[in-house]
Amino acid sequence: AGAAMVARALWALLAALRAGWCLLPQSGYLHPDEFFQAPEVMAGDILNLQVYYPWEFLSNSPCRTVVFPLMTSGVTYWVIKSLQQLDICSSCINSYTLLVSPRLLFTIFSFILDYSIYRLAPFWGADPWKALVLLAGSYVTLVFYTRTFTNTLEGLLFALLMVLVSSRKSSGRSAEPTSSSLLGVITAAGFFNRPTFLAFALMPLLYWASLIVDSQKSIKTLINDFLKFILCACFTAFVFITADTFYFTSVSLDNLYSTNKSSLIDVIVQLHDKMVVTPFNFLSYNLNPHNLVLHGSHPRVTHFTVNGVMLFGILHILAIGAGFKMLKKYVHQLMLVRWCCRGLPGLLVHCEGSPILLLFYFVPLAFLSLFSHQEPRFLIPLILPLVLFSASPSRAVKWKLLIVLFNLLGALLFGCLHQGGLIPCLFHLEQLIHSPASSSDPQHYTLLFAHTYMPPRSLLNIKKTDVHVEVIDMAGAGEETLCQTVEQQASNFTCSNCHIFIIIPGTVRATITKCDVSFKNETLIFPHLSMEDPPQIPVLSSGNWRSQLGLYILELNRDH
């Protein structure tokens, strides 16, 4: 009882940390997709801000559904816009609210994971509060699940799927018959969010099917359950296709009926011709190896050997060890499954607890490993089965200190340091651009970013109608290209109210000094760690370490 009370208090503390750190806010910048797959697009559509629309949201190649961005970032931006229009909050729209409001919604949604763990732990033989502490204390939950990734939504839908397939009637073994409709909705919604969701959904759906078959229901009842699943999945897909078609093609019924001769058949034909099915576009693009190379190609074992360890540490390693033991134990049963266990469904039903959780963990991981582009965030939905597996009374106890240190390091690295100067830099520039002095005497600003992640322009809070701010993203440009661009901007530096800022990490600060320009002001934002241009260890041990772990905002000297 005493240990349970301590675990509850620790979970409550970690839950408060999750919410508080979101509001602080976290300065770490994990990946451009946390902005450019939802908040940036919705800021342009709803708040009419200057943004960068990624190729996935262009009408000629839509690969992302607009439904989830509208339901998440879209809703939060609509709320702050309404508050400002009603004069409830005169300056609701600023860089802080633009960053934090979608993150706060995702942070609230992240507690679906906690609910799922609490519901699932007794079912899978895990200690509920031990599992909750493992989940809440993981830096994956603290950092990744409070960010606006489609992978975050994928993890939440996977958790709901596991809750549904793991529910049983109080009287015995059969699965809840009413869950088939919800399973269809969640599976289809997850597929439209990310087609890779099918890799996560495969084992839960097979487990659910095995429970249905094993329940010894009548054939009519079995068919009815599967039909409800298929019909609800199809209806959900129809909703997503309709929403995406209207968004990406700007189809309106008024335009379709503008010609008096248009019949209902004409309308249907026009809608069919313009139909947008984003998952098929996504699969068509990502199944082309040449396209994946553009985003980075990795060895097929990267998820197993690198990404799993990077996200989950010792828990991933322990799961691999347990997986090999499970294979050794069950290889004979798998070879003789036709005689011993009456096929795969029987095996899934009669193998209780840990073996099934390991399948829930490793089967999606194996499917994702078939693709050459492998990023750590692709695996974050797997935290749920891994925590449930690790929270049994006999596991992970002797690794407590290592788990704590690993998650502290991960939270510091990804929540604070990684590209950690870029968001505060945008906050600083937004305040500068919207300062009273700039408002009274219109200024022109050129912001040149080099060797940073793609800056989310929405955080500058610039209306589309404003033309006094220009953003130039040089990405990882070489020294010669960078100097040419900077010198070209300097040569055009003629107006008295023009300002040119160069934003560059301290590790490549020396590159700018080789250009034929000078600077009158410089601001150092600390900390900022660029893994693409990492600091050298000897330099870190010198007195220049703060510069190496910082991001510079350099203002070009007009006189020079």
Side-chain angles (χ1 to χ4, degrees), residues 267-329:
V267 172
I268 294 173
V269 169
Q270 290 184 56
L271 284 172
H272 179 270
D273 291 340
K274 297 183 178 183
M275 185 179 295
V276 174
V277 187
T278 53
F280 292 163
N281 296 338
F282 178 95
L283 291 171
S284 176
Y285 181 88
N286 284 279
L287 290 176
N288 186 337
H290 299 291
N291 292 334
L292 291 182
V293 170
L294 299 175
H295 300 273
S297 184
H298 308 93
R300 294 295 195 275
V301 296
T302 301
H303 279 325
F304 277 99
T305 58
V306 178
N307 294 341
V309 178
M310 187 185 300
L311 289 176
F312 308 121
I314 190 65
L315 298 184
H316 175 74
I317 297 171
L318 292 174
I320 290 177
F324 279 116
K325 290 180 181 178
M326 184 193 78
L327 284 176
K328 184 178 179 181
K329 180 178 180 181

Side-chain angles (χ1 to χ4, degrees), residues 481-509:
T481 304
L482 182 58
C483 280
Q484 285 179 353
T485 305
V486 171
E487 290 165 8
Q488 182 182 1
Q489 291 296 321
S491 65
N492 298 330
F493 200 178
T494 56
C495 63
S496 60
N497 59 347
C498 292
H499 303 272
I500 299 177
F501 292 93
I502 315 296
I503 296 91
I504 194 166
T507 48
V508 289
R509 169 74 171 82

Side-chain angles (χ1 to χ4, degrees), residues 34 150 154 159 172 189 218 252 258 281 286 300 336-337 387 473 488 490 495 542:
E34 69 175 284
T150 55
E154 188 174 44
S218 65
S252 71
S258 59
N281 296 338
N286 284 279
R300 294 295 195 275
L336 302 177
V337 67
V387 162
D473 183 12
Q488 182 182 1
C495 63
S542 68

Side-chain angles (χ1 to χ4, degrees), residues 36 38 74 115 282-283 287 321 353 367 429 431 464 515 525 553 557:
F36 293 93
Y115 167 78
F282 178 95
L283 291 171
L287 290 176
F367 272 104
L429 293 172
Q431 292 178 355
K464 289 181 179 178
C515 304
I525 296 179
I553 305 175
N557 188 351

Side-chain angles (χ1 to χ4, degrees), residues 161-465:
L161 204 63
M162 283 194 63
V163 169
L164 289 175
V165 303
S166 301
S167 59
R168 292 181 179 179
K169 290 182 177 179
S170 58
S171 58
R173 299 179 48 80
S174 61
E176 291 282 358
T178 56
S179 65
S180 56
S181 301
L182 289 174
L183 286 175
V185 171
I186 291 174
T187 303
F191 177 66
F192 273 82
N193 175 57
R194 288 184 67 86
T196 54
F197 182 74
L198 294 184
F200 296 97
L202 176 62
M203 287 309 301
L205 291 180
L206 282 177
Y207 182 76
W208 168 72
S210 70
L211 287 174
I212 293 290
V213 173
D214 193 62
S215 63
Q216 299 180 349
K217 295 179 180 179
S218 65
I219 296 296
K220 182 179 179 181
T221 305
L222 293 177
I223 293 175
N224 184 52
D225 283 336
F226 289 119
L227 275 178
K228 284 196 294 184
F229 172 85
I230 294 171
L231 289 174
C232 288
C234 290
F235 176 76
T236 304
F238 172 77
V239 171
F240 275 82
I241 291 171
T242 302
D244 291 336
T245 300
F246 274 84
Y247 177 82
F248 287 110
T249 63
S250 299
V251 177
S252 71
L253 292 177
D254 292 337
N255 292 334
L256 292 175
Y257 279 111
S258 59
T259 304
N260 293 331
K261 295 181 180 179
S262 294
S263 64
L264 180 60
I265 295 177
D266 295 328
V267 172
I268 294 173
V269 169
Q270 290 184 56
L271 284 172
H272 179 270
D273 291 340
K274 297 183 178 183
M275 185 179 295
V276 174
V277 187
T278 53
F280 292 163
N281 296 338
F282 178 95
L283 291 171
S284 176
Y285 181 88
N286 284 279
L287 290 176
N288 186 337
H290 299 291
N291 292 334
L292 291 182
V293 170
L294 299 175
H295 300 273
S297 184
H298 308 93
R300 294 295 195 275
V301 296
T302 301
H303 279 325
F304 277 99
T305 58
V306 178
N307 294 341
V309 178
M310 187 185 300
L311 289 176
F312 308 121
I314 190 65
L315 298 184
H316 175 74
I317 297 171
L318 292 174
I320 290 177
F324 279 116
K325 290 180 181 178
M326 184 193 78
L327 284 176
K328 184 178 179 181
K329 180 178 180 181
Y330 287 102
V331 66
H332 184 65
Q333 287 93 322
L334 289 173
M335 291 173 61
L336 302 177
V337 67
R338 185 177 301 174
W339 297 278
C340 297
C341 293
R342 296 179 288 119
L344 179 62
L347 180 68
L348 287 176
V349 170
H350 297 302
C351 294
E352 296 293 335
S354 295
I356 302 299
L357 287 174
L358 286 174
L359 288 175
F360 282 10
Y361 182 74
F362 283 113
V363 169
L365 200 156
F367 272 104
L368 293 175
S369 297
L370 297 176
F371 298 92
S372 61
H373 181 56
Q374 301 186 17
E375 296 182 27
R377 62 192 171 93
F378 296 169
L379 302 183
I380 65 171
L382 296 178
I383 190 173
L384 190 72
L386 183 61
V387 162
L388 289 171
F389 172 78
S390 304
S392 65
S394 60
R395 291 190 181 93
V397 176
K398 60 183 178 181
W399 302 103
K400 282 182 180 180
L401 181 60
L402 182 60
I403 291 171
V404 170
L405 292 176
F406 171 79
N407 285 299
L408 281 174
L409 180 63
L412 175 66
L413 176 61
F414 293 104
C416 297
L417 296 177
H418 189 258
Q419 293 285 325
L422 190 55
I423 301 304
C425 165
L426 292 169
F427 279 23
H428 174 81
L429 293 172
E430 189 251 0
Q431 292 178 355
L432 179 67
I433 292 168
H434 295 281
S435 64
S438 297
S439 302
S440 59
D441 183 19
Q443 310 285 307
H444 185 277
Y445 296 91
T446 300
L447 311 176
L448 192 150
F449 293 83
H451 292 261
T452 68
Y453 276 4
M454 189 187 304
R457 290 141 172 85
S458 59
L459 296 186
L460 293 171
N461 192 20
I462 307 297
K463 292 293 184 182
K464 289 181 179 178
T465 53

